[in-house]
Amino acid sequence: MSEVKVTKRDRNVIINPLVTCQPLGAMYAMYAMYAISGISHGLPLVHGSQGCSTFVRYGFSRHFREPSEIAVTSLHEDAAVFGGRKNLISGLGNLAARFHPDLIGVVTTCSSEIIGDDVNGFIKTAQEEIKDKLGEKAAEKIKIVPINTPSFVEHHFRGYDNAIKSLVDHVTLDPTNSNDKINIIPGIVNPGDIREIKHIMAMMGLESIMLTDTSDPFDSPLRPGATQVKPYYPKGGTTVQELEDSSNSLGTISLCHYGAQAAHSLEKKYNVPSVVGPFPIGLQNTDQFLRNLKNMTDSDIPDELLDERGLLVDSMADITSRYLFGKTAAIYGDPDMVTGISRFICELGMTPQLVCTGVENKEFVEEMKKVAQEANGIVEIMYGQDLRALEVQLQEEPVDVIIGHSDGRLIDRDLQIPLVRVGFPVYDWVGYHRVPIVGYRGGINLLDRITNTILGEYYDPVHWKLQQ
Ligand code: SF4
């Protein structure tokens, strides 16, 4: 029988936060627009101080091991008094002249939001100036999208949500003919996860429009000489044409709750049916994702996918009863990822004893309560919390394994509880951004990762010797 406890942060100060500010989420979404097949390109322009883009660039580079280029209007003290008009207009003009992008997303920050800059008005003025400099045709080709991310409220998940909604609201055109595609809003996931979603859809004979596609821009091939045209953009990404076309899709599936705004906007404005969640981690959630695809498109689930499912079931049958059954876990981070992993943990016969997210989101609590019904033991749901609260709780009630991003590595060291690294950011180990945890194949990866961590921590090497 399961028992559920729900706790929220009861102090004002945050120690070791689990979330960061809104612009990071917007840049995550926007960065996908950085490269568009060598034909169309997009650029994020942060309207704020240099640090607002630098900490994000640093975070992306540490996690993805790729150079991360994000423009900034570099607001200083004078902008706080006189406003950031001059910086934004000249910044947009410089980007247009030097990079010839197809799309620039203007990501606001604390400072530009508090100053009260008329970003929409400045964009109009900049567009006129770009027209004068580059000519009408070139200027019209560049879409400039305002993305409001006031970072003094909420967190980077909301920034991602706001960014995808702005892209859809400003770029998508009125519907014409059905394109037989499905819009997917993947959330703050890794390139490996997006590739896995595309793989599943390809097996079902379906095409997607990723809103947005970070798989190539965040993990791009190094091929000196392959691109001769300056500026050098990495390969891949969602094209502006795809964004325009998203109103013609058969439906939108947002894998995360912080993608629902865009999905609902497409439904409201263009009658594109939408489904939000679940994050396709583990057996049940991936089954539901396939059901959602099937319902929207009427396509069959092929034998090859059923085989992949069977391989996950086989791996679970081989491993769980022997090494995982009855083990406890603490899971923290992205709310959708936490609920997805928790359900998978239950499928493995383990108990998600502590789950923790930095967002104050009642939907997370409700979803986790449902998951907790599938658990066998006490589940404590911590929301609007931080890593310090998780650590204190773990000191009192230790678990067998912690699952989350690299910011929990010191809890691993101090409390001697092994950490399974997932999500964003993972900066102290390498390669995880390439390995999916979604879908059936991702489930096998995650299962192996959890099991090997437990084996490494709790099983004496002598166990593996032949008994003498
Ligand atoms: S909290 Fe505000 S000032 Fe700090 S990085 Fe985020 S947007 Fe910039």
Side-chain angles (χ1 to χ4, degrees):
M1 278 296 291
S2 64
E3 189 186 317
V4 182
K5 282 201 279 182
V6 181
T7 55
K8 198 180 152 197
R9 195 177 70 247
D10 56 2
R11 53 177 152 75
N12 287 327
V13 68
I14 294 177
I15 308 167
N16 289 344
L18 277 164
V19 292
T20 183
C21 64
Q22 284 206 38
L24 182 137
M27 284 177 248
Y28 208 106
M30 270 303 302
Y31 194 76
M33 299 300 300
Y34 185 74
I36 302 164
S37 308
I39 305 165
S40 319
H41 323 295
L43 285 170
L45 172 62
V46 177
H47 188 34
S49 57
Q50 290 193 8
C52 304
S53 74
T54 305
F55 95 93
V56 178
R57 295 179 58 198
Y58 177 57
F60 288 174
S61 296
R62 283 196 308 174
H63 178 86
F64 298 108
R65 313 280 165 165
E66 294 282 3
S68 164
E69 300 193 34
I70 295 166
V72 62
T73 55
S74 191
L75 299 185
H76 285 268
E77 292 86 343
D78 56 341
V81 178
F82 302 112
R85 182 180 186 276
K86 197 174 87 191
N87 301 48
L88 183 54
I89 292 172
S90 66
L92 285 167
N94 285 340
L95 287 183
R98 290 187 60 189
F99 294 96
H100 311 289
D102 269 6
L103 190 147
I104 303 172
V106 178
V107 180
T108 63
T109 57
C110 302
S111 45
S112 49
E113 290 282 346
I114 289 178
I115 295 164
D117 270 353
D118 173 15
V119 171
N120 289 341
F122 300 168
I123 287 176
K124 277 193 190 128
T125 309
Q127 279 168 326
E128 289 305 316
E129 291 192 6
I130 293 169
K131 215 182 271 180
D132 292 343
K133 263 195 219 159
L134 305 182
E136 198 154 331
K137 210 170 151 203
E140 269 174 11
K141 201 177 139 269
I142 304 170
K143 304 244 180 304
I144 304 179
V145 179
I147 299 172
N148 286 96
T149 46
S151 6
F152 37 81
V153 287
E154 299 197 77
H155 36 72
H156 63 292
F157 301 109
R158 175 63 68 208
Y160 175 89
D161 198 14
N162 288 350
I164 304 291
K165 182 175 186 302
S166 291
L167 289 170
V168 163
D169 286 350
H170 287 86
V171 182
T172 303
L173 301 177
D174 286 340
T176 49
N177 298 317
S178 172
N179 57 22
D180 292 328
K181 294 179 182 175
I182 296 289
N183 303 324
I184 302 282
I185 301 172
I188 298 186
V189 295
N190 279 315
D193 294 317
I194 293 190
R195 288 176 184 144
E196 189 61 27
I197 297 293
K198 287 185 187 169
H199 160 77
I200 289 173
M201 296 188 67
M203 301 257 288
M204 291 178 71
L206 300 173
E207 277 188 76
S208 63
I209 295 179
M210 284 285 165
L211 301 171
T212 58
D213 186 353
T214 51
S215 56
D216 284 333
F218 276 147
D219 188 24
S220 54
L222 184 60
R223 296 184 56 198
T227 309
Q228 299 298 339
V229 183
K230 282 187 182 177
Y232 299 124
Y233 286 95
K235 191 175 155 270
T238 306
T239 63
V240 168
Q241 289 75 20
E242 286 177 308
L243 270 175
E244 289 173 343
D245 193 33
S246 58
S247 57
N248 289 313
S249 296
L250 296 171
T252 304
I253 300 178
S254 176
L255 303 182
C256 51
H257 285 89
Y258 289 102
Q261 282 193 89
H264 292 154
S265 183
L266 283 165
E267 178 153 21
K268 205 166 154 202
K269 281 165 87 174
Y270 307 120
N271 291 320
V272 180
S274 65
V275 174
V276 176
F279 210 73
I281 292 178
L283 213 51
Q284 288 183 65
N285 282 10
T286 306
D287 286 352
Q288 187 56 49
F289 174 58
L290 295 194
R291 260 182 240 124
N292 292 340
L293 285 173
K294 188 172 158 50
N295 291 342
M296 278 181 173
T297 59
D298 231 2
S299 40
D300 286 330
I301 296 168
D303 256 11
E304 291 87 341
L305 261 178
L306 295 177
D307 279 346
E308 286 185 4
R309 186 183 192 280
L311 282 171
L312 173 57
V313 174
D314 182 54
S315 309
M316 290 163 71
D318 292 344
I319 291 170
T320 50
S321 61
R322 193 158 183 198
Y323 304 117
L324 303 182
F325 188 81
K327 292 271 190 293
T328 53
I331 305 148
Y332 63 87
D334 179 328
D336 291 293
M337 212 173 274
V338 169
T339 49
I341 293 175
S342 298
R343 178 160 278 138
F344 187 41
I345 285 292
C346 294
E347 290 168 356
L348 299 178
M350 299 170 68
T351 303
Q353 183 177 300
L354 265 180
V355 294
C356 183
T357 184
V359 305
E360 291 189 24
N361 181 325
K362 295 267 166 60
E363 280 172 356
F364 166 75
V365 176
E366 292 313 310
E367 189 62 30
M368 261 318 302
K369 280 183 183 169
K370 281 188 219 157
V371 174
Q373 301 306 317
E374 296 158 31
N376 199 14
I378 299 171
V379 178
E380 178 156 356
I381 303 166
M382 304 167 72
Y383 74 111
Q385 283 284 17
D386 53 32
L387 273 173
R388 176 61 188 158
L390 181 75
E391 185 177 359
V392 168
Q393 201 57 33
L394 283 171
Q395 283 166 348
E396 288 172 17
E397 297 168 31
V399 294
D400 294 307
V401 68
I402 313 171
I403 302 173
H405 51 66
S406 290
D407 288 350
R409 69 200 184 285
L410 297 181
I411 300 181
D412 168 348
R413 190 194 65 182
D414 293 348
L415 302 187
Q416 301 288 303
I417 304 173
L419 171 67
V420 177
R421 285 157 180 79
V422 294
F424 173 88
V426 173
Y427 45 76
D428 57 337
W429 286 14
V430 298
Y432 280 11
H433 62 290
R434 283 189 285 274
V435 184
I437 60 167
V438 303
Y440 301 124
R441 299 194 306 183
I444 295 174
N445 292 334
L446 185 55
L447 170 62
D448 291 345
R449 208 181 288 176
I450 294 169
T451 310
N452 287 333
T453 303
I454 285 177
L455 289 176
E457 186 73 19
Y458 300 109
Y459 284 76
D460 192 317
V462 173
H463 169 82
W464 302 108
K465 286 188 181 171
L466 291 174
Q467 299 295 322
Q468 292 176 2

